[in-house]
């Protein structure tokens, strides 16, 4: 098996996100938008503090590097960074809308469709090459998602919109490698916070006072926002968007396991078959990394 640090980073990002419900469930009495507002605002504040206090040298080095770029390079970095922030904030907005106003199944289906879209978009936009086995994995994914979507065609449109925004985020950030990834993420979340800020006075509820809210929020900000998003961007330094995208399946697989064994939710035979096929698609997609013999020096 030949798994490098970039594959490990992608795996860990979505593995961590798979347990997001454990931190989110205790906050079920709070509005989803409130959780989103505070998640973004606290993330930005913490990241700014880390960058300004502990990473001044890195900030200065990246600023000088940015100033030394040509106009075209600077323009490209700004577009990719702010565009990534726009895709990210759009994904969070749409996901909450789908979760609250369409259905939970549509929201879950979005993260099953996303790897397929990421792979296809990376193929057409970034010209990333896929092997025949990787295309087989995509077809298996399409089939498994079709099984899960059967009888819920109304939700497919909303699932596609949600999935497309995150797929575009991954694809766009593949080429955004000129600056430090932690700084890029900080700028993107700051941009997201600026987008959300005008909506906060009108759509936010009363300021939470319970310690439970802030305890869970701290876990969400550090463990389920900053760390996995950084790992995601770091992984794109060494592997292509399609490879990172296919790892997204780890998230719903863990959600499914938690739903069955921890939350004791009922499952159908079709769901069992579909999730088994998703596991198969991950293995087939990464067969070269998983089964190629190590090259000895």
């Amino acid at each position: 098996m030949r798994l490098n640090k970039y594959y490990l980073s992608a795996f860990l990002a979505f593995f961590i996100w798979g347990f997001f419900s454990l931190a989110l469930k205790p906050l079920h009495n709070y509005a989803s938008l409130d959780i989103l507002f505070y998640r973004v605002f606290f993330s930005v504040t913490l990241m700014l503090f880390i960058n300004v206090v502990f990473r001044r040298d890195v900030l200065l080095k990246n600023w000088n590097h940015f100033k030394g770029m040509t106009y075209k390079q600077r323009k490209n970095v700004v577009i990719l960074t702010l565009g990534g922030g726009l895709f990210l904030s759009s994904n969070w907005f749409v996901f909450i809308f789908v979760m609250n106003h369409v259905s939970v199944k549509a929201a879950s289906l979005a993260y099953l469709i996303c790897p397929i879209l990421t792979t296809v978009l990376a193929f057409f936009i970034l010209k990333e090459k896929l092997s025949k086995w990787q295309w087989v994995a995509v077809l298996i994914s399409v089939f498994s998602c079709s099984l899960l979507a059967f009888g819920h065609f109304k939700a497919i449109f909303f699932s596609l919109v949600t999935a497309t925004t995150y797929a575009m985020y991954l694809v766009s950030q593949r080429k955004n490698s000129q600056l430090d990834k932690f700084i890029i993420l900080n700028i993107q979340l700051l941009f997201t916070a600026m987008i959300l800020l005008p909506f906060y006075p009108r759509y936010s509820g009363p300021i939470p006072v319970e310690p439970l809210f802030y305890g869970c929020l701290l876990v969400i900000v550090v463990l389920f926002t900053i760390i996995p998003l950084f790992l995601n961007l770091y992984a794109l330094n060494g592997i292509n968007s399609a490879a990172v995208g296919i790892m997204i399946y780890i998230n719903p697989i863990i959600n499914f396991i938690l739903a069955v064994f921890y939350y004791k939710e009922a499952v159908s035979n079709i769901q069992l078959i579909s999730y088994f096929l998703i596991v198969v698609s991950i293995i087939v997609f990464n067969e070269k990394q998983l089964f190629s013999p190590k090259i000895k020096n």
Side-chain angles (χ1 to χ4, degrees):
M1 182 184 291
R2 299 184 298 137
L3 292 179
N4 60 35
K5 59 185 178 180
Y6 301 109
Y7 271 91
L8 182 61
S9 295
F11 172 83
L12 285 175
F14 296 109
F15 181 81
I16 291 170
W17 267 325
F19 295 93
F20 191 20
S21 62
L22 297 178
L24 204 54
K25 279 285 187 180
L27 302 181
H28 66 277
N29 290 326
Y30 294 91
S32 297
L33 268 178
D34 281 340
I35 297 171
L36 175 64
F37 286 138
Y38 289 106
R39 178 189 184 186
V40 173
F41 298 154
F42 276 60
S43 297
V44 168
T45 303
L46 180 59
M47 292 188 75
L48 280 173
F49 176 79
I50 292 171
N51 274 319
V52 172
V53 176
F54 299 106
R55 306 181 84 239
R56 289 182 185 177
D57 292 342
V58 179
L59 274 174
L60 184 61
K61 181 181 177 182
N62 277 262
W63 174 243
N64 289 332
H65 178 60
F66 180 76
K67 288 194 298 183
M69 295 178 185
T70 64
Y71 171 76
K72 185 177 181 181
Q73 288 174 323
R74 289 200 300 269
K75 181 181 176 182
N76 191 49
V77 168
V78 170
I79 290 173
L80 286 174
T81 301
L82 297 186
L86 186 61
F87 285 129
L88 194 60
S89 57
S90 299
N91 176 258
W92 288 356
F93 262 130
V94 176
F95 181 78
I96 286 179
F97 173 80
V98 172
M99 182 72 78
N100 287 347
H101 301 289
V102 181
S103 72
V104 176
K105 286 182 179 179
S108 300
L109 185 60
Y111 283 101
L112 296 176
I113 296 173
C114 189
I116 303 167
L117 279 176
T118 304
T119 302
V120 174
L121 288 172
F123 177 77
F124 286 107
I125 297 175
L126 301 178
K127 309 302 179 184
E128 292 181 356
K129 302 297 181 183
L130 297 177
S131 69
K132 62 179 181 181
W133 284 111
Q134 288 175 322
W135 279 116
V136 169
V138 171
L139 292 175
I140 294 172
S141 299
V142 170
F143 179 68
S144 62
C145 290
S146 300
L147 285 178
L148 287 172
F150 188 75
H152 302 281
F153 295 107
K154 219 173 147 186
I156 289 178
F157 171 76
F158 296 99
S159 298
L160 281 171
V161 174
T162 309
T164 301
T165 52
Y166 196 71
M168 286 301 297
Y169 174 72
L170 287 179
V171 171
S172 66
Q173 297 315 290
R174 171 64 175 156
K175 293 295 185 182
N176 195 11
S177 58
Q178 294 291 325
L179 299 178
D180 177 79
K181 291 298 187 183
F182 196 82
I183 293 174
I184 288 174
L185 180 57
N186 196 171
I187 295 170
Q188 289 175 338
L189 289 178
L190 181 61
F191 185 57
T192 300
M194 291 171 64
I195 294 173
L196 289 174
L197 195 58
F199 298 96
Y200 177 76
R202 182 172 179 182
Y203 294 102
S204 66
I207 296 176
V209 294
E210 294 81 2
L212 173 68
F213 179 84
Y214 293 100
C216 289
L217 189 69
L218 180 63
V219 175
I220 289 171
V221 166
V222 177
L223 188 60
F224 294 110
T225 302
I226 295 175
I227 292 176
L229 280 175
F230 174 73
L231 288 171
N232 224 187
L233 289 177
Y234 179 76
L236 288 168
N237 282 331
I239 56 177
N240 61 33
S241 305
V244 174
I246 207 73
M247 293 287 186
I248 294 173
Y249 281 135
I250 295 166
N251 184 341
I253 288 170
I254 294 174
N255 283 333
F256 181 74
I257 292 171
L258 286 175
V260 175
F261 295 103
Y262 185 77
Y263 297 113
K264 307 298 182 183
E265 293 182 4
V267 295
S268 66
N269 290 331
I270 288 180
Q271 286 176 316
L272 287 172
I273 294 170
S274 298
Y275 278 92
F276 173 75
L277 289 174
I278 286 169
V279 173
V280 171
S281 72
I282 295 174
I283 295 171
V284 172
F285 191 92
N286 295 289
E287 54 86 25
K288 188 174 181 181
Q289 290 293 329
L290 292 172
F291 303 117
S292 293
K294 268 190 176 181
I295 299 173
K296 294 183 180 181
N297 295 323

